[in-house]
Amino acid sequence: MDLGISGRKAIVCASSRGLGKACARALAEAGCEVIINGRDQKKLDATAAELSNQTGGKIIAVAADVATPEGQKALLAACPAPDILINNNGGPPMRDFRELTRAQLIDGVIANMVVAIELIQKVIEPMTQRKFGRIVNITSSSVMAPLAGLDLSSGARAGLTAFLAGVSRTVADKNVTINNILPGAFDTDRLRGTLSKNAEQKGKSITQVAADRIATIPARRFGDPAEFGAACAFLCSAQAGYITGQNLLIDGGTFNGAF
Ligand SMILES: NC(=O)c1ccc[n+]([C@@H]2O[C@H](COP(=O)([O-])OP(=O)(O)OC[C@H]3O[C@@H](n4cnc5c(N)ncnc54)[C@H](OP(=O)(O)O)[C@@H]3O)[C@@H](O)[C@H]2O)c1
């Protein structure tokens, strides 16, 4: 399927690894020029080379912390008027909510809510003027079904979701869409880190902890980041202009509800 976005410019935040990288790859495959980002310059450069070799697309690497004003400035300097913005960032570590300090609470809200809103503020006017814009926010299935220890992540991302639900309706007539993708358990470094921590806490092997988790997923496997990237690219396609303000849960059927 031709997604109709060849030649479009895309910023994909936090994309040197994992789900962000998979989105960057899928957009490059669709013919977009892609700005990728991460804090570790070496890993980022390796990803840029890999994606450019695999897709033949133009990949620009911007090493920066997306949570900081300087990081955002660097991203927008590389691409001042993107057609596509994928908001992503690292998630906070698992922590009992009782232990969270005021500063940690505020940092968590900045990382998983404020940063995405700030970037949208900066890119949305040119999108509305050009009558094309696609914004996808990577949130989490924990917005719909809480995960103990990830309360800050769930709360900040739910705040982002509610905030943008209204905003998305104000730009839909300009062919600018804003949607969220909610990952369940995808096979990335982050998931492997969580499994390893769980294994340590429970005194089990990582293989056992992974098998226990997979047993709770109706699809009986972890998600492949490529599946996530393909869904993201579709939401950025020309054909997806009538889909906005939506939450796409990709979790192998884990959330047990009819709606
Ligand atoms: N994987 C899952 O199963 C899952 C499920 C639910 C929600 N999520 C959420 O989805 C998001 C992506 O997860 P993932 O599994 O792809 O994580 P990952 O494998 O750990 O990759 C995270 C990526 O973000 C970059 N990054 C982190 N903090 C950054 C910052 N401040 N500025 C710029 N880049 C930054 C990392 O590069 P550097 O470290 O070099 O900066 C890396 O490229 C996270 O918010 C996560 O909480 C994931």
Side-chain angles (χ1 to χ4, degrees):
M1 182 175 183
D2 179 354
L3 298 181
I5 49 176
S6 185
R8 296 282 185 193
K9 290 182 174 29
I11 295 181
V12 185
C13 303
S15 49
S16 57
R17 293 179 281 122
L19 302 179
K21 178 179 174 183
C23 295
R25 187 196 308 273
L27 289 169
E29 281 168 353
C32 294
E33 176 180 317
V34 184
I35 285 76
I36 63 166
N37 159 247
R39 292 160 303 177
D40 182 324
Q41 178 92 57
K42 235 172 133 183
K43 275 195 189 125
L44 185 69
D45 289 344
T47 297
E50 180 190 325
L51 296 186
S52 151
N53 287 339
Q54 283 174 355
T55 66
K58 184 169 175 190
I59 311 288
I60 298 165
V62 177
D65 181 342
V66 73
T68 63
E70 304 75 44
Q72 294 184 14
K73 224 173 166 182
L75 276 169
L76 292 167
C79 183
D83 302 295
I84 293 166
L85 170 67
I86 311 301
N87 276 313
N88 187 30
N89 199 351
M94 283 221 162
R95 197 168 283 140
D96 186 311
F97 84 95
R98 294 169 189 80
E99 294 167 12
L100 292 166
T101 64
R102 188 169 220 257
Q104 286 168 334
L105 284 167
I106 291 168
D107 282 351
V109 171
I110 290 175
N112 293 129
M113 177 178 177
V114 174
V115 170
I117 296 168
E118 285 177 331
L119 282 169
I120 292 172
Q121 286 174 325
K122 289 169 187 138
V123 303
I124 207 156
E125 278 320 307
M127 286 181 175
T128 59
Q129 282 157 19
R130 288 197 308 276
K131 301 267 191 319
F132 183 91
R134 297 286 184 266
I135 297 170
V136 174
N137 307 294
I138 300 180
T139 64
S140 173
S141 60
S142 71
V143 169
M144 290 178 68
L147 279 172
L150 286 177
D151 313 284
L152 178 54
S153 158
S154 312
R157 296 180 207 264
L160 176 68
T161 306
F163 191 110
L164 296 176
V167 174
S168 66
R169 271 76 183 179
T170 67
V171 291
D173 64 328
K174 307 286 189 308
N175 190 25
V176 175
T177 66
I178 306 179
N179 292 291
N180 309 302
I181 309 186
L182 289 58
F186 275 82
D187 189 6
T188 66
D189 288 353
R190 178 166 171 89
L191 179 74
R192 286 187 281 274
T194 311
L195 292 175
S196 154
K197 209 168 166 196
N198 287 346
E200 216 179 279
Q201 282 165 352
K202 293 178 179 160
K204 290 183 176 180
S205 69
I206 297 180
T207 314
Q208 187 55 55
V209 169
D212 293 348
R213 180 84 187 268
I214 284 172
T216 68
I217 303 171
R220 297 289 180 260
R221 64 178 176 86
F222 292 132
D224 179 343
E227 296 172 301
F228 189 94
C232 176
F234 178 73
L235 286 179
C236 296
S237 70
Q239 294 89 333
Y242 209 51
I243 304 174
T244 197
Q246 299 303 304
N247 291 287
L248 177 59
L249 180 63
I250 312 184
D251 69 347
T254 303
F255 182 76
N256 198 16
F259 300 101

